[in-house]
Amino acid sequence: MDQSKIRNFCIVAHIDHGKSTLADRIIQMTGTLTDREMQAQVLDNMDLERERGITIKSQAVRIIYKADDGEEYIFNLIDTPGHVDFNYEVSRSLAACDGAILVVDAAQGIEAQTLANVYLALDHDLDVIPVINKIDLPSADPDRVVEEIEDVIGLEAQDAPRISAKTGLNIHDVLEAIVNKLPAPTGDPKAPLQALIFDSLYDSYKGVIVFCRIKEGTLKVGDKVKMMATGAQFDVVEVGYFGAGQFIPCDELPAGMVGYMTASIKNVRDTRVGDTITHSNKPADSPLPGYKKVNPMVYCGLYPADGAKYPDLRDALEKLQLNDAALQFEPETSIALGFGFRCGFLGLLHLEIIQERLEREYNLDLVTTAPSVVYRVHKTDGTMIELTNPSNLPDPSEIDYMEEPIVEAEIMVTSDYIGAIMDLCQERRGIYISMEYIEETRALIKYTLPLNEIIYDFFDALKSRSRGYASFDYELKGYMKSELVKLDILINKEEVDALSFIVFSGTAYDRGRKMCEKLKGEIPRHLFEIPIQAAIGSKVIARETVKAMRKDVLAKCYGGDITRKKKLLEKQKEGKKRMRQIGNVEIPQAAFMSVLKLDED
Amino acid sequence: MTPIEIYIHIPFCVKKCLYCDFLSGVFDERMQRRYTAALLAEIKYAASTHLGCLVKTIYIGGGTPSWLSEDLMDAILTTVKQHFKVDPLAEISVECNPGTLTAEKLNVYRSIGVNRLSIGLQSVNDDELKILGRIHDYNRFLHTFDLVRKAGFDNVNVDIMTGLPYQNVEKLERTLNAVTMLRPEHISAYSLIIEKGTPFYDKYKFDAVKQQAGMETEELPTDEMSYRLYRLTMQYLESKGYKRYEISNYARNGKICRHNVGYWDRVPYLGLGLGAATLFNNVRASNVRDIYKYIETSEAIEQGKSVTTTFSSPYYETEEVLSKKDAMAEFMYLGLRKIDGIARADFYSMFDIDIEAIYGPVIAALRNQGFMEAKEGRLFLTDIGIDVSNQVLSKFLLD
């Protein structure tokens, strides 16, 4: 294999700028797939991804392209997620590439995540070529966007391909740019093996399938290999590359290639993403630099709706963790919910996706508690604890002070909505840093914001207050001392630990009131009256009442109604099963997420 | 001989009421005749497959059976009597709507053994009758009631409804007052239910949800009001000598509807006609709901053709064999609709196991909450238990 004919690259873009569509079009144009095989968005192969129109997992595909110079090139295209929550996935994929295509929407121009992703790519020393997409839109203004790219990012963009991934216009220019402007990989196929693990997934027949980029040396079937960090050793059973949506075995992967290997690996922990694979008998001197370790930013409790499914939930989480390094979990118990797990996520979208995957792919019915960030509690005895579960907050008398995580947020918005967005940041306890105009009608605003103000519904609020014209990215900056209190919820006089949450003291009263109102709407009427109270310590700050149900009768029940009556009663009983019994109150699962919805309406 | 009941469905109406989700429609006389012919064939078929039964009650419901011309009604009942063994003391009821009866019709009914009539009135307030889309006004009802009494019927039910749009205490009291003054032997009082697939659903679905959630409503009475109306009905009727014997049924001088009580006691019944439901040998089944399919089935049977079906009758469209657990649950949730509830001894003789062994904890919990009482070997729901009986009865389902 001639290394100079290989191009390893990824496509980065702000969400919705057409990253996956371009990937599909490249695959189709290079003849890897026939039109009939071409399912819309080939690379987004999880149902969930296709439904939501987002990329969650990195995907890789190998394609052959016959260039204008008459030579055949091998493209290894790695698709990456666009959402800020999944930066770590992007970072993993980038490490397997030599170059990146930056897709920018010809109408929207540069957005917050465009910048974030470009910086990430430049951090990995990748060559970046800009591509201007959606030029078929009536509102497209490619000249303006070219200027933006040059002014804001500093990339040469005059001859950037101007394309429409949707219609297929000028895709050829992109393919030629890949050949001519992106570098070929380097690396010596005869050197000691260094292969970087950038992803993995579990297959019940083959065991762990390890996705890797061969940096040095050659990986062959039958090789004895060693994971340099974990020390685990395996015999390679299969190596291969990625067809569209399938694995294609081959004899060997030489330096410069992207592919996979299997080695009857049962335990995923043996093949950590970021680790280096080398040969047992002729090991490399040192491992490749690993990836940035990712720390979860948001925690919540996940509980099986049916307590008996606890082991199933554990198994499912373990399986998901196999190819989602950022997912963390440890067992915990709740008085209200029984046995479950405290899980750590990169953000709220990550949380939602894991929750949905558990429900869909593993058929689990889950109760999710209110998400929380990691607080630092400094105790009077001088020790500090990192608090991920509000109910573990020590007694106030033992607390010296508390700190909460803060982020630096970059918001890009058209000038009409600057006021509205600044108001929003102000409401969320933001501290203004700076504002600069990218062009006459658009500005980049920077704020410091407490993370717990943005994990719930900040993104939605941002979109609605800017009519969709604002984009947003953030980075964890550290911790800040803050006045925080634990808000407890009492239902029918009983404290429900799973509903407790930590809140800034200045907004506690307002949050408590809204929480009670929300819960009043979520808890069905019972045969008795149910008080719902919000309290800080022993002080009740808000109260609502769910009135007692007085009448629930089926008036008619004759011969023909009996089967229907049975269905009605069954539905009633089934509905109860899906609820959580707290004292003698049945609480629907959705109620435990109420805190997320406080700013709706 | 196995005592059974027969239900006969007449799916024809002069006009569909706006709240009605029953299987009925407006059809012309020619269709009524074709349907009746098919029905006669089914009666004969059912008699041939259910030998050794003694018919204790017959109920002809609809639709509006009283809209059928008298010769058709005559043919139906005559055929039943020819092919089934009917108890000479059988209760034979026909559902009627005001404005569809004549003196001649009533004479024919009497002559063929009809001894109980059920008249759909719903309200004495013409504005409410109009909202409901009824074909009659209050005066028309009075005229019909007079005809019925003059024809000598001494076992008559009148249907009324609570929870109507804009209904309040005064309006309901007017209905209750007027109806009890006429002294029918039986009164059925139903709460309006907004059913899917009716014009009322389109009109009131949001109100119905609000009502259920205890919120302010626009046209339907609030949950609070509908509870008051329901309670008022009960107290008013009891004060006028109508004894409540089931959630929605009241009778004077013990003239309960034996046929309906059979449903709650799980007496076997054959449902004949379009969409009619059957309980026999612990099988619950229901007939086809498509009138053309129904007629075709009868024609095939008459011509001696075999009809392919996976069910135990060519007329069935659904069929479910009840497990012992199903039967026990039914025994409870149907039996407890009756005000005097169920007898422990009956449970034992039917299922050969003590009721406490199956439902001990449920019964104890419900008694504890004040929803159920036990007296002299019987278990029954209290007033507040009946108020929320859907919640209470669902506890008797077995996994």
Side-chain angles (χ1 to χ4, degrees), chain A residues 525 527-528 547-566 568-573 576-577 586, chain B residues 21 190-191 195 212 223-224 226-227 247-249 260 263-264 269 277 284 320 326 333 337 371 386-391 394 397 399:
Chain A
R525 295 204 290 167
L527 300 173
F528 44 87
K547 280 196 276 176
M549 176 196 296
R550 307 195 48 190
K551 179 169 163 274
D552 182 14
V553 190
L554 182 70
K556 277 193 179 189
C557 188
Y558 302 121
D561 308 316
I562 291 168
T563 313
R564 226 165 50 151
K565 161 86 171 172
K566 186 177 161 195
L568 181 96
L569 295 178
E570 273 168 356
K571 218 169 127 192
Q572 208 139 29
K573 196 176 169 190
K576 292 233 163 94
K577 266 198 201 155
E586 275 140 354
Chain B
D21 77 328
Y190 303 114
S191 300
E195 299 280 8
Q212 255 175 9
D223 174 62
E224 194 57 35
S226 100
Y227 176 73
I247 290 174
S248 307
N249 286 288
N260 286 342
Y263 291 137
W264 307 315
Y269 57 91
R284 288 206 179 271
E320 186 198 358
D326 291 334
Y333 68 70
R337 290 186 68 87
F371 295 132
I386 291 174
D387 292 348
V388 291
S389 54
N390 286 344
Q391 304 281 324
S394 68
L397 293 180
D399 289 321

Side-chain angles (χ1 to χ4, degrees), chain B residues 180-193:
Chain B
T180 49
M181 294 249 281
L182 292 169
R183 305 308 284 158
E185 284 68 30
H186 191 286
I187 296 173
S188 297
Y190 303 114
S191 300
L192 173 70
I193 300 174

Side-chain angles (χ1 to χ4, degrees), chain B residues 216-253:
Chain B
E216 281 304 310
T217 48
E218 280 163 34
E219 294 173 271
L220 293 181
T222 59
D223 174 62
E224 194 57 35
M225 176 56 81
S226 100
Y227 176 73
R228 268 174 75 188
L229 298 174
Y230 155 87
R231 279 270 160 162
L232 168 69
T233 307
M234 190 176 104
Q235 282 150 8
Y236 197 103
L237 293 178
E238 297 244 338
S239 77
K240 298 289 179 186
Y242 290 88
K243 192 175 166 331
R244 188 188 198 193
Y245 68 97
E246 191 259 0
I247 290 174
S248 307
N249 286 288
Y250 300 81
R252 213 154 56 79
N253 301 332

Side-chain angles (χ1 to χ4, degrees), chain B residues 177-213:
Chain B
N177 179 43
V179 171
T180 49
M181 294 249 281
L182 292 169
R183 305 308 284 158
E185 284 68 30
H186 191 286
I187 296 173
S188 297
Y190 303 114
S191 300
L192 173 70
I193 300 174
I194 307 297
E195 299 280 8
K196 260 191 189 153
T198 63
F200 261 35
Y201 184 79
D202 297 334
K203 197 164 171 200
Y204 299 117
K205 59 188 167 197
F206 295 114
D207 244 15
V209 171
K210 287 181 188 166
Q211 187 186 53
Q212 255 175 9

Side-chain angles (χ1 to χ4, degrees), chain A residues 529-540:
Chain A
E529 192 176 280
I530 305 167
I532 300 170
Q533 295 160 303
I536 298 171
S538 56
K539 188 177 163 221
V540 173

Side-chain angles (χ1 to χ4, degrees), chain B residues 61-74:
Chain B
T64 307
S66 57
W67 193 36
L68 276 192
S69 69
E70 46 268 48
D71 62 314
L72 296 179
M73 188 62 84
D74 186 357

Side-chain angles (χ1 to χ4, degrees), chain B residues 9 88 106 120-121 140 147 162 175 188 200 218 234 289 383:
Chain B
H9 192 65
L106 287 165
L121 165 64
R140 183 59 74 95
L147 283 178
T162 69
T175 295
S188 297
F200 261 35
E218 280 163 34
M234 190 176 104
R289 296 171 64 86
D383 279 356

